[in-house]
Amino acid sequence: MNLDNKVCIVTGAASGIGFGIAKRYHAAGARVAIADRNAEAAQQAAAALDAIAPGRALAVAMDVTSEAEVNAGVEQVVSLWGRVDVLVSNAGVQIVNPLDTFAYADWKTMLAIHLDGAFLTTRACLPHMYKQGGGAIILMGSVHSKEASKLKAPYVTAKHGLMGLAKVIAKEGAPHGVRANVVCPGFVLTPLVEKQIPEQAKELGISEEEVVKRIMLGQTVDGEFTTIEDVAEVALFFAGFETNALTGQSLVVSHGWFME
Ligand code: NAD
């Protein structure tokens, strides 16, 4: 897959999976905007890509829950590079708690980042993609787009919701050559997951080792974490696949944790 000269925006790209995707796209020849609410980390991530090949990475300070920041960030990219070919809506956080005590504010924060963020970034990119006559939108789902786990009500709700959003983008975007697909990873060892291990151990009253072995990897075929590189490869495939034959789909990359 070749992304030569394509302009890609990856949200939440200052860390973890988002940075892995930005790095993979950059290696495939793309110009990559690292959009993140952590502006300093976004600068560092862009500098790391610039050190590999200069002039094809841009840091964009953007909180995906802010309509104004999303619109301004996409405009910043388009005014520099003239277009936007690929959007990866990846920014995300995790808050774990049982439903009966889940704080409403935390519920709203989760839905805002995962769902409002995907909507706002999609809406800001679509007019440019329609004008150009094509583009790819990739939403970061999860095995939790297909399955539920205890303690993750808003996360599971939002990740399921992204499947619906991708299908609507696919239908509305098709006449304009815009495709939308969802990547659904199993557990990947990033800061988001590292933070959950002690939290889940406490909530479930088990050891951290058990959380990893039993809760996170117990249903995989080989007890292994999915890697950032695995997820980036799937995101590259969706970005580079250029016809409407592959749209409105999801692909689970989870060491067999979930099988369709
Ligand atoms: P991470 O914590 O390593 O990175 C998340 C990035 O998103 C950070 O740089 C953070 O600053 C940014 N971010 C958070 N809120 C933001 C906001 N409002 N606006 C802009 N940026 C924001 O996490 P990760 O594990 O790489 O997760 C990335 C995505 O992958 C998330 O959507 C997550 O749900 C999804 N995912 C992760 C796993 C996993 O096991 N790690 C599995 C399936 C899906």
Side-chain angles (χ1 to χ4, degrees), residues 11-19 35-38 41 62-66 89-94 112-114 140-144 155 159 162 183-193 196 225-226 228 231:
T11 71
S15 171
I17 292 172
F19 181 61
D36 206 286
R37 72 176 170 189
N38 184 339
M62 178 196 288
D63 182 333
V64 297
T65 67
S66 159
S89 170
N90 163 81
V93 299
Q94 180 61 279
I113 296 175
H114 291 271
M140 190 51 63
S142 162
V143 163
H144 287 112
Y155 189 81
K159 293 300 190 190
L162 291 175
V183 182
C184 299
F187 280 102
V188 181
L189 214 43
T190 66
L192 179 141
V193 163
Q196 274 175 64
F225 278 105
T226 301
I228 289 174
V231 181

Side-chain angles (χ1 to χ4, degrees), residues 3 13 15-16 18 27 38 44-46 50 68 70 82 110-111 116 119 121 147 149 180 184 206 210 224 246:
L3 296 182
S15 171
N38 184 339
Q44 285 167 3
D50 257 339
V70 168
M110 288 294 290
L111 296 198
D116 298 358
F119 162 69
T121 50
E147 286 272 9
S149 290
C184 299
I206 58 178
E210 265 185 293
E224 289 196 21
L246 188 65

